[in-house]
Each structure stands twice: as C-alpha cells, then as structure tokens.
Amino acid sequence: MPAQMMAIDGTWRRECAIEDVSEEGAKLIVGSSIEGLQLKEFFLLLSTKGLAYRRCKLAWVNGDQIGVTFLRRGKKPAQAAGKAEQGG
C-alpha cells in the first residue's frame, strides 16, 4: 500500500510502501535514501491529503526496509483518569 513518511516539522517527505502492518507498528519499504534524516519520530501519512496518519518512531532498519512502532496519543490522560478513579 503506498504511503509517505514526513518529518514532524515538515522539513522532509519520502515515498514508501506499507508491506506489513499491525496494531503496534508496521514494516515499510522506502524507495529513496533515508540516510541523514531525523527518524527518531515522524509521521506515516496514509492518505494523499494527510488526513489519515500515524505518529511513528523508528524500530529497526534493514536495507530499504524499516520497522516502525506507532506512538499512541492520550496515554497520559488515561493514566491520570485511572489515578482519579483510585482516589475517588
């Protein structure tokens, strides 16, 4: 499935293909060089308009394939809610 990788600050963008995906992450095939790119965290754009995306962090690199872990939103508020329930 075609997709794009994009820097959190928008300074770079690369075409890629999603080879395998799960709830926790994905394996991507990157067509062009990723050398020198800030890959600690980036967006995986799933639509051409950028409306469907996941924030990722790099897990591993093997040639033109990379593994990413999806970063979840809202973990801290969920933990805070759990503490509030325990205290109440």
Side-chain angles (χ1 to χ4, degrees):
M1 178 171 113
Q4 290 188 344
M5 301 163 47
M6 186 180 79
I8 297 294
D9 63 4
T11 56
W12 58 264
R13 190 182 282 222
R14 293 289 184 277
E15 298 286 330
C16 66
I18 300 171
E19 177 149 308
D20 191 18
V21 68
S22 71
E23 188 74 20
E24 295 81 30
K27 179 166 82 170
L28 310 176
I29 298 175
V30 183
S32 57
S33 175
I34 57 172
E35 190 173 334
L37 298 181
Q38 178 62 17
L39 289 173
K40 184 175 179 181
E41 287 188 22
F42 59 93
F43 291 118
L44 178 60
L45 306 177
L46 304 172
S47 74
T48 54
K49 295 181 181 174
L51 299 176
Y53 63 91
R54 297 294 298 262
R55 191 170 183 146
C56 304
K57 71 175 182 177
L58 183 66
W60 53 266
V61 178
N62 184 4
D64 66 346
Q65 298 179 352
I66 66 171
V68 299
T69 302
F70 297 138
L71 300 175
R72 302 210 181 274
R73 291 179 280 172
K75 272 194 171 181
K76 290 180 182 175
Q79 289 171 348
K83 289 179 184 176
E85 289 173 10
Q86 291 172 357

